[in-house]
Amino acid sequence: MAQVIQSATEAAAKLKDVVDASKEVVFFGGAGVSTASGIPDFRSENGLYNQRFSSKYTPEELLSHHLWRQDPRAFYDFYRKMMCAPDARPNQAHIKLAELERKGRLSTVITQNIDGLHQKAGSRHVIELHGSTHRNYCVKCGAGYTEEWMLEADGIPRCEKCGGMVKPDVVLYEEALDEKNIEGAIRAIGNCDTLIIGGTSLVVYPAAGLVNYFQGDRLVIVNLQPTPQDSAADLVCACDIALAFDW
């Protein structure tokens, strides 16, 4: 049965003990990792999916491949306003994970986030399952563009070289995850002795299914709300993730 800790102070001390006892740690994170950086998650009470941005479309539709094709103006308006966060800064969770990588304690960060905050904090081995707002490419000629360029573009962004539409390098609904990223995540999770899962509800597949490849000794979950994997964990920290990594 999992040990459940609700105090962030106790969670931080326990997490440190777990990491100190580990040979190789992998972190698997979701939207909750970035909420302390001011980026809203999706499924909480104040998350994106519980807000209304359009009289015609739900947030899920606004992030779908078919809407990007059928109504790109609506897609890009929502994307620029709600999915890009150029001023966001890493919080303590991002910073601690980068520190653990530098010290050789953590091998890989696997993230469902598209904000690039792990890299801003200094993490180098990051698998971005859902892509990144910091990369954009022309669907016609493949030319690359930055997040800054995308935010400054008006309406439907057009390639400066060929006039093709510039698409964010993010995985939309109805699109498949990159096979190389999936294979890399499976390999990392399968090889580590400690897997720390943080800031994710573990209900979005196929990403959530990656946890099933863990064969190590210690499974830790850091999330404010219960997840389907809590009963399989050795330690559950039901507290703010940024505070749990403050050690």
Side-chain angles (χ1 to χ4, degrees):
M1 181 178 295
Q3 178 183 5
V4 180
I5 299 175
Q6 294 182 321
S7 163
T9 301
E10 291 181 27
K14 191 64 178 180
L15 266 181
K16 183 180 185 303
D17 290 342
V18 169
V19 171
D20 287 345
S22 304
K23 294 180 179 179
E24 182 174 342
V25 179
V26 166
F27 179 81
F28 178 84
V33 179
S34 293
T35 53
S37 295
I39 298 177
D41 62 10
F42 293 90
R43 291 171 178 79
S44 70
E45 182 179 349
N46 297 315
L48 288 178
Y49 290 170
N50 289 317
Q51 300 182 40
R52 194 71 180 177
F53 301 93
S54 167
S55 58
K56 294 175 62 177
Y57 308 114
T58 66
E60 291 94 330
E61 289 175 309
L62 287 165
L63 291 174
S64 67
H65 181 86
H66 80 266
L67 190 80
W68 171 71
R69 285 290 190 189
Q70 296 174 10
D71 194 347
R73 287 190 178 277
F75 169 84
Y76 283 106
D77 181 55
F78 177 81
Y79 176 80
R80 291 189 182 102
K81 288 179 180 178
M82 304 308 303
M83 303 310 296
C84 296
D87 298 325
R89 294 292 178 265
N91 60 57
Q92 181 59 32
H94 299 107
I95 293 169
K96 176 58 70 172
L97 290 167
E99 176 190 319
L100 293 175
E101 181 183 346
R102 289 194 301 271
K103 291 181 176 179
R105 308 310 304 275
L106 181 143
S107 65
T108 308
V109 168
I110 303 166
T111 180
Q112 299 174 78
N113 296 338
I114 60 175
D115 50 47
L117 290 181
H118 286 292
Q119 289 91 333
K120 282 187 178 180
S123 291
R124 300 182 64 183
H125 194 190
V126 181
I127 298 175
E128 296 174 310
L129 294 175
H130 295 154
S132 173
T133 61
H134 295 272
R135 298 186 301 270
N136 304 273
Y137 64 92
C138 172
V139 298
K140 186 175 180 181
C141 74
Y145 293 90
T146 64
E147 181 183 53
E148 290 73 21
W149 182 92
M150 175 64 77
L151 288 170
E152 292 174 0
D154 293 325
I156 301 172
R158 295 289 178 181
C159 178
E160 297 175 355
K161 298 180 179 180
C162 73
M165 193 185 306
V166 177
K167 182 179 183 294
D169 186 16
V170 299
V171 179
L172 304 177
Y173 284 107
E174 303 156 357
E175 294 180 343
L177 300 185
D178 183 270
E179 284 295 331
K180 289 184 178 180
N181 284 336
I182 294 176
E183 291 170 2
I186 290 174
R187 187 163 52 250
I189 290 173
N191 290 337
C192 69
D193 64 325
T194 296
L195 176 62
I196 302 175
I197 300 170
T200 175
S201 60
L202 291 176
V203 297
V204 178
Y205 284 80
L210 295 173
V211 179
N212 296 328
Y213 291 92
F214 179 62
Q215 302 293 323
D217 301 322
R218 290 166 289 270
L219 176 62
V220 179
I221 297 177
V222 187
N223 200 60
L224 281 171
Q225 303 300 323
T227 80
Q229 292 286 347
D230 285 3
S231 60
D234 299 286
L235 173 65
V236 174
C237 301
C239 62
D240 183 284
I241 191 168
L243 296 178
F245 277 92
D246 190 10
W247 43 274

